[in-house]
Amino acid sequence: MDDGNTNSTCTECDGQLRSNGTETVCEECGLVSDENAIDHGPEWRSFEDDETDRRRTGAPLTRSRHDRGLSTEIGYGSGSRLTGRKRRQLARMRREHNRARISSKVERNQVYGFTEIKRLITELSLPDSARDQACTLFKSAQSEDLLRGRSLEGFAAATVYAICRTLSMARTLSEIVAVSRADESELKAAYDALNRELGLPTGPIDPTQYLPRYASKLDLDTDIEQCAREHVETLLDNCAIGGRNPSGVAAACLYVAANDCPDCDSITQASAGDVADVNPVTIRSTVHQLEEC
Amino acid sequence: MATELNREKRRDISREYFSRERLAEHHYRSFNSFLNRGMQRVVDEKETIDTDIGDKEGEEPVHVELGDVRVVTPRVREADGSEELLYPQEARLRNITYSAPVFMEMSIVKGEEGDQRVVDSTETKIGRMPVMVGSDKCNIAGFSDQELIDIGEDPADPGGYFIVNGSERVLMTSEDLAPNKILAEYDTKYGDEIQVAKTFSQRRGYRALVLCERTRDGLLEVSFPSVSGSINFVTLVRALGLESDEEIVHKVSNDPEVVKYMLENLEEAEVQSEEQAIEELGKRVASGQGKNYQLKRANYVIDRYLLPHLHEDGVEEEDVRINKAHYLCRMAEACFELALDRRESDDKDHYANKRLKVSGDLMKDLFRTALNKLARDVKYQLERANMRNRQLSVNTVVRSDVLTERLEHPIATGNWVGGRSGVSQLVDRTDFMGVLSHLRRLRSPLSRSQPHFEARDLHATQWGRICPSETPEGPNCGLVKNFAQAMELSQNVEDEQGLKRELASMGVEGIPGLEGIERTTSPADD
């Protein structure tokens, strides 16, 4: 379409060019600077209440299904309903087809793991991209044979935890355990294995990742959250975070910010600790640290 | 006699009918009643989720009991985990769904009958319900004009639509044939004219067509789902407990001509007693099976598939059967009267024979199937968890995305449960009048590719209800209609038992011998 004609500005008015389907049009003046005689789009238009769906393709491939979304299904048809022998035969075929869908133990585990990941992702309201990545991670853990002797539920939870960390949307272990079917030891065992064998690109967690969530849980305004963010920055600049639980640091900074703010209800160290799942003592020591800086 | 209103007053009334609250009122009212009662009713119908755990020996059976369901107001959970209230304008701009979390009390119960204990009982989030803009659960409910402007909302916007993935979708009101009513009409079979009485019997989302035909040799035959072909009327009535000739004839009619027709039928009767009739029915519904199974199946079919709308909570199965027999007799009478030219065939286009399905009714259908899907998933998850020796807890067996997807997807695409398509449409924002017209539009489910002349015609009973002139040209002409300005849409009664008591106190008599129970021709479920 854009063969040779690589200049991206309009010849008339130097406006931005944009190509859609067949035409390259200037966004400013509407000049059609290039045209392709062949429309590569669908040869039909679809209307709201069309009776039939003329799309030829289904949903795109996805990594979050064991067959990448390329499953076949024996449907029920749209025309007249079948009767008697034919219907029973189709019902049998459907059942056998469903049984044959999963061929190996590995695949069965994968299906179970993926549904568990999906459940965790929705429970934690994480984006779909996280789900795809968690599923891919689960698959690589399987191909590295890490699952042997460890629990599936633990791995599902661990992949979600790991993906949260790599995507800088950190969740605490206890938050994951609360919604997971695995207990904490299973999750830890699985995460250790993942981290050791697959070399996850995770560094120390930035406490600011926790701020928005804790602020909304503690019912604090965005300007307090902003203020807490600055406190975290100061701590980071003074290298005063080392060895501290980032979740506790986030809660402590929110605590300080909320108490410094004149026109808002102050929160207690205990409530801040609860939200961050740390001891009030941890909060207190970080507060001291912050005062020193 | 007619006192003429002066122009000013008429204008005031007009204006009142065109106020913001009135334009899409039918949508909110319906959706609010779905949120307030309909949802809970659907959950109560479901009551429990049974599992296959306990089929093996040495295993305790497990089931889940469903309790109160609760919807909060729309909110959004960001990727960083913070949660805040969502307003319609934000949902439109960010292409997200304007939906509210739904919570339900669920308890996992373990153990045999009599020795049951609750393993885990919590209120858990089961999914998200798209919320109608302007309904009681909408975050802008009760806002003043200035407050609406402050959050970027148009104070003149009538609401009454949903926002799914940022696009505004309105659920088309659909105009269906009234269920649970006897409609008598002529039909042809093998070139002869026959008389048919039809009833669409509907209860709890299950719809069954019951037909009573008078064939060319004057015999009555009944057909209903799960029975292939048709069954002799007398056999069926006897199976339902009306045994003697005299009783049957008397219940159909006292008209001598009809009695004559009825006696012809009785002469041809295949069976004489209730047991024989059930046996005969058993042969039809489970031919080639063992006798015990045939009887069991026959009884099941009668109670499950024949005229389901006559079932009612707290009414004995025995009485329901007699009621069904009486109802069939009314259908028989309608056929005979039609054959004798005592009446004309019923007019399907008469507005008394129409019912409108508004957003709340449609959402109820959707919620019912979504809840069933969720129940199946919970069952599967429980069985999996049990097989893997996990602790059974409510929170970990409920996948909230199951319900959410089942609720959002049909609204987003318009492909409703039951195979209907185009139920939800993108709100026409061409101009303000377009929106108003779209929200007050209704659609007949008849195919637009067939003539259906009578259905497209303006019917006299549409006076005051349907606009006589606003209908599209072309294939949808007369099938898509619009409400008249002063149309009032009545809702189904909430308390049917109360209505019946009231009617009884006013002197309405039920079938003699059955105190407090009457033939119900009112919708059992809506």
Side-chain angles (χ1 to χ4, degrees):
Chain A
M1 205 185 294
D2 293 347
D3 40 3
N5 193 4
T6 45
N7 55 336
S8 57
T9 52
C10 176
T11 48
E12 298 280 312
C13 68
D14 290 334
Q16 196 71 35
L17 288 178
R18 190 183 50 182
S19 44
N20 61 342
T22 51
E23 291 175 336
T24 305
V25 188
C26 170
E27 280 187 325
E28 298 289 322
C29 62
L31 176 83
V32 179
S33 69
D34 191 23
E35 197 177 17
N36 191 348
I38 299 169
D39 184 351
H40 294 280
E43 69 277 40
W44 34 259
R45 289 193 295 161
S46 70
F47 294 98
E48 273 299 311
D49 46 354
D50 250 349
E51 305 213 340
T52 49
D53 186 3
R54 288 186 290 183
R55 279 178 301 178
R56 288 191 206 88
T57 56
L61 287 181
T62 163
R63 295 206 166 266
S64 48
R65 286 183 185 276
H66 78 284
D67 51 11
R68 308 194 65 195
L70 268 182
S71 51
T72 50
E73 215 168 278
I74 301 180
Y76 292 86
S78 51
S80 59
R81 289 166 62 190
L82 294 164
T83 44
R85 177 170 300 191
K86 194 80 182 162
R87 188 172 64 197
R88 285 196 290 275
Q89 186 194 355
L90 271 167
R92 277 200 304 278
M93 278 163 71
R94 233 171 255 133
R95 195 172 58 234
E96 285 308 315
H97 182 74
N98 276 343
R99 285 179 182 162
R101 218 159 42 105
I102 298 165
S103 53
S104 64
K105 193 98 191 204
V106 175
E107 222 166 323
R108 191 175 300 279
N109 287 344
Q110 205 173 75
V111 172
Y112 182 71
F114 283 7
T115 42
E116 176 71 1
I117 288 173
K118 189 179 178 197
R119 192 180 67 79
L120 290 172
I121 295 280
T122 45
E123 218 66 37
L124 295 165
S125 312
L126 294 168
D128 275 350
S129 59
R131 181 177 152 211
D132 281 0
Q133 292 184 45
C135 288
T136 320
L137 189 61
F138 187 89
K139 214 169 178 174
S140 25
Q142 259 188 331
S143 57
E144 293 293 317
D145 205 17
L146 299 180
L147 267 74
R148 194 182 297 270
R150 301 192 181 96
S151 92
L152 279 175
E153 289 88 354
F155 261 93
T159 49
V160 173
Y161 177 72
I163 289 305
C164 284
R165 282 190 67 168
T166 49
L167 290 181
S168 314
M169 312 185 287
R171 298 287 186 276
T172 56
L173 272 180
S174 61
E175 275 176 299
I176 306 256
V177 170
V179 291
S180 164
R181 269 179 215 167
D183 52 40
E184 190 158 346
S185 58
E186 285 172 325
L187 170 52
K188 275 183 172 158
Y191 183 71
D192 284 349
L194 280 179
N195 203 12
R196 192 164 1 100
E197 304 291 332
L198 298 177
L200 295 174
T202 50
I205 301 168
D206 180 0
T208 50
Q209 291 175 21
Y210 293 115
L211 286 176
R213 201 144 30 98
Y214 293 169
S216 95
K217 274 192 195 164
L218 290 167
D219 221 4
L220 298 173
D221 284 343
T222 39
D223 38 333
I224 294 181
E225 186 195 320
Q226 201 51 46
C227 182
R229 202 172 288 270
E230 281 160 21
H231 288 317
V232 174
E233 303 286 318
T234 5
L235 282 174
L236 276 175
D237 291 342
N238 291 306
C239 297
I241 288 187
R244 266 175 221 290
N245 183 347
S247 162
V249 171
C253 290
L254 275 173
Y255 166 77
V256 171
N259 286 4
D260 286 352
C261 179
D263 48 46
C264 91
D265 301 334
S266 59
I267 52 170
T268 61
Q269 292 186 344
S271 64
D274 268 355
V275 165
D277 194 41
V278 292
N279 209 302
V281 182
T282 319
I283 306 272
R284 217 164 295 143
S285 68
T286 317
V287 172
H288 287 312
Q289 193 97 45
L290 194 60
E291 279 161 1
E292 282 167 26
C293 292
Chain B
M1 203 169 132
T3 49
E4 205 179 307
L5 283 166
N6 68 43
R7 178 176 285 198
E8 275 309 308
K9 282 181 180 159
R10 280 202 307 237
R11 193 164 284 166
D12 284 346
I13 290 176
S14 265
R15 200 161 284 140
E16 223 25 64
Y17 269 109
F18 265 141
S19 69
R20 187 169 84 96
E21 293 72 32
R22 280 301 317 259
L23 289 166
E25 197 210 10
H26 58 288
H27 280 299
Y28 320 135
R29 268 217 301 176
S30 174
F31 188 71
N32 286 339
S33 85
F34 163 67
L35 290 177
N36 297 335
R37 294 188 307 275
M39 272 177 93
Q40 187 61 53
R41 199 170 288 176
V42 170
V43 172
D44 291 346
E45 282 165 19
K46 185 87 198 156
E47 214 176 315
T48 57
I49 301 170
D50 295 316
T51 65
D52 293 341
I53 304 172
D55 287 0
K56 274 191 290 185
E57 230 167 276
E59 221 181 23
E60 277 187 302
V62 172
H63 73 270
V64 182
E65 278 172 12
L66 309 181
D68 289 347
V69 67
R70 180 172 68 94
V71 187
V72 292
T73 59
R75 48 205 65 202
V76 60
R77 186 116 177 247
E78 309 291 352
D80 62 20
S82 56
E83 191 175 55
E84 56 197 41
L85 287 185
L86 180 65
Y87 291 100
Q89 190 60 17
E90 190 182 347
R92 291 186 197 107
L93 292 175
R94 291 179 53 192
N95 285 350
I96 52 181
T97 302
Y98 191 59
S99 62
V102 184
F103 296 91
M104 186 159 73
E105 281 172 10
M106 292 171 96
S107 30
I108 300 178
V109 181
K110 212 168 187 174
E112 305 283 349
E113 198 83 30
D115 173 35
Q116 292 185 331
R117 57 183 197 287
V118 176
V119 179
D120 183 25
S121 177
T122 25
E123 188 183 53
T124 184
K125 182 183 161 191
I126 56 166
R128 305 176 68 86
M129 163 76 66
V131 169
M132 180 183 285
V133 176
S135 70
D136 286 350
K137 291 290 179 204
C138 176
N139 281 326
I140 61 167
F143 272 27
S144 68
D145 282 6
Q146 192 52 48
E147 283 172 306
L148 287 173
I149 293 169
D150 289 343
I151 57 160
E153 207 59 42
D154 178 4
D157 186 75
Y161 50 86
F162 298 87
I163 303 174
V164 176
N165 297 328
S167 69
E168 300 167 318
R169 314 285 305 193
V170 58
L171 300 186
M172 271 292 114
T173 307
S174 98
E175 181 187 61
D176 292 340
L177 208 55
N180 311 337
K181 272 191 116 175
I182 299 174
L183 290 177
E185 57 183 17
Y186 294 104
D187 201 353
T188 48
K189 204 171 194 181
Y190 311 121
D192 287 318
E193 190 182 68
I194 57 163
Q195 295 81 33
V196 191
K198 274 186 191 174
T199 294
F200 284 100
S201 176
Q202 189 178 336
R203 175 180 156 86
R204 297 182 174 174
Y206 175 68
R207 206 171 137 94
L209 173 64
V210 180
L211 283 178
C212 180
E213 289 176 345
R214 180 176 174 273
T215 54
R216 55 184 160 173
D217 44 6
L219 291 184
L220 282 175
E221 285 179 345
V222 181
S223 63
F224 60 98
S226 87
V227 180
S228 57
S230 48
I231 287 189
N232 190 293
F233 173 78
V234 179
T235 311
L236 193 59
V237 174
R238 286 207 161 122
L240 288 167
L242 277 189
E243 267 189 327
S244 74
D245 286 8
E246 197 203 330
E247 233 181 337
I248 297 175
V249 173
H250 176 70
K251 293 298 179 206
V252 172
S253 179
N254 289 328
D255 186 304
E257 301 268 353
V258 176
V259 169
K260 209 180 82 196
Y261 278 143
M262 227 21 247
L263 288 174
E264 284 172 25
N265 265 283
L266 285 164
E267 265 170 42
E268 299 284 326
E270 298 155 336
V271 292
Q272 297 306 323
S273 70
E274 189 174 338
E275 288 94 82
Q276 284 176 350
I278 299 235
E279 268 173 45
E280 180 66 27
L281 186 62
K283 278 181 200 155
R284 291 296 307 279
V285 292
S287 62
Q289 312 270 10
K291 185 142 189 197
N292 276 338
Y293 179 77
Q294 282 188 349
L295 294 183
K296 209 177 118 192
R297 177 77 190 161
N299 281 309
Y300 179 77
V301 161
I302 287 177
D303 291 334
R304 181 81 178 69
Y305 295 108
L306 180 65
L307 294 168
H309 76 275
L310 294 177
H311 287 268
E312 204 178 323
D313 293 329
V315 178
E316 296 288 319
E317 208 71 346
E318 196 83 342
D319 295 336
V320 172
R321 285 202 180 186
I322 290 291
N323 280 346
K324 286 182 178 177
H326 285 290
Y327 195 92
L328 286 174
C329 290
R330 293 276 72 70
M331 294 177 81
E333 188 188 22
C335 285
F336 288 134
E337 283 183 349
L338 205 57
L340 290 165
D341 283 329
R342 297 270 160 86
R343 66 188 283 173
E344 285 173 31
S345 63
D346 284 303
D347 184 358
K348 278 186 185 168
D349 306 309
H350 195 288
Y351 238 69
N353 294 330
K354 299 276 195 192
R355 293 292 178 273
L356 297 188
K357 265 191 156 171
V358 200
S359 348
D361 310 298
L362 293 164
M363 287 305 287
K364 194 170 168 183
D365 289 350
L366 200 59
F367 184 64
R368 186 178 284 115
T369 48
L371 190 72
N372 282 332
K373 182 79 184 168
L374 179 82
R376 267 208 298 281
D377 190 70
V378 166
K379 171 176 181 276
Y380 176 76
Q381 297 289 339
L382 267 176
E383 285 165 8
R384 265 324 275 254
N386 183 63
M387 211 162 65
R388 297 179 56 81
N389 290 321
R390 292 276 151 185
Q391 182 75 37
L392 301 182
S393 80
V394 172
N395 278 324
T396 54
V397 293
V398 178
R399 289 199 301 145
S400 61
D401 52 316
V402 176
L403 191 88
T404 312
E405 267 170 28
R406 288 275 158 163
L407 291 176
E408 274 178 15
H409 195 256
I411 301 181
T413 59
N415 298 327
W416 220 251
V417 292
R420 275 171 299 169
S421 64
V423 173
S424 90
Q425 297 182 352
L426 193 66
V427 176
D428 176 13
R429 287 286 189 187
T430 314
D431 61 3
F432 186 62
M433 293 305 282
V435 182
L436 300 188
S437 164
H438 201 184
L439 290 168
R440 295 169 68 84
R441 194 163 296 161
L442 64 107
R443 210 178 57 150
S444 164
L446 293 169
S447 163
R448 58 181 173 180
S449 54
Q450 275 166 13
H452 298 301
F453 294 119
E454 293 88 357
R456 291 170 191 266
D457 275 348
L458 186 67
H459 198 277
T461 50
Q462 289 173 5
W463 170 264
R465 302 182 171 100
I466 303 293
C467 180
S469 55
E470 190 176 355
T471 183
E473 288 185 13
N476 269 328
C477 186
L479 296 179
V480 171
K481 306 183 188 81
N482 285 271
F483 287 150
Q485 179 185 332
M487 181 273 323
E488 305 262 359
L489 195 55
S490 60
Q491 274 187 312
N492 196 25
V493 283
E494 285 170 43
D495 176 16
E496 213 159 299
Q497 300 284 339
L499 174 72
K500 283 184 183 169
R501 271 195 301 277
E502 191 61 39
L503 285 175
S505 77
M506 290 162 77
V508 175
E509 285 173 27
I511 298 164
L514 290 169
E515 281 310 310
I517 302 153
E518 314 144 41
R519 284 171 285 125
T520 40
T521 43
S522 57
D525 180 296
D526 247 282

